[in-house]
């Protein structure tokens, strides 16, 4: 995992982070991770699996029709990409 060092953090911000972390029962490090993740995660992000499941529901597939996908799905484990 990557590491990040933040230099020249004002004392007021440091105190506010410490208080906020305590209120949430987190360490300061965990609180900062949560804040950063929330800041960069796109709102309304749709995940592919959810999107495909929604398409299936809208198409009103029966269990038998859905089972066809399982039968023809390639179950070979994925191999890591090689750039060599």
């Amino acid at each position: 995992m990557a590491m990040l060092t933040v230099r020249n953090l004002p004392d007021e911000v440091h105190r506010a982070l410490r208080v906020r972390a305590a209120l949430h029962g987190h360490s300061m490090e965990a609180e900062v991770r949560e804040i950063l993740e929330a800041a960069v995660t796109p709102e309304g992000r749709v995940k592919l699996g959810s999107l495909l499941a929604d398409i299936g529901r809208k198409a009103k597939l029966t269990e038998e029709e859905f089972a066809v996908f399982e039968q023809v799905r390639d179950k070979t484990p994925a191999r890591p990409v090689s750039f060599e």
Side-chain angles (χ1 to χ4, degrees):
M1 285 219 169
M3 290 182 57
L4 172 69
T5 301
V6 179
R7 300 185 197 291
N8 302 318
L9 189 65
D11 291 336
E12 308 83 54
V13 174
H14 185 266
R15 277 193 296 277
L17 280 170
R18 191 168 16 136
V19 169
R20 181 177 166 152
L23 289 172
H24 292 137
H26 295 157
S27 66
M28 277 186 54
E29 186 175 324
E31 188 69 20
V32 169
R33 275 194 305 267
E34 190 172 294
I35 291 167
L36 289 172
E37 185 176 341
V40 299
T41 302
E43 288 185 30
R45 176 179 164 208
V46 178
K47 295 182 180 175
L48 181 59
S50 300
L51 182 63
L52 292 173
D54 191 40
I55 290 170
R57 279 191 292 277
K58 286 180 182 174
K60 299 181 180 173
L61 295 177
T62 65
E63 289 297 322
E64 295 79 28
E65 291 168 326
F66 181 76
V68 171
F69 291 115
E70 276 300 307
Q71 293 170 2
V72 299
R73 182 174 65 93
D74 182 4
K75 296 178 179 109
T76 307
R79 289 179 285 124
V81 68
S82 174
F83 294 103
E84 295 177 5

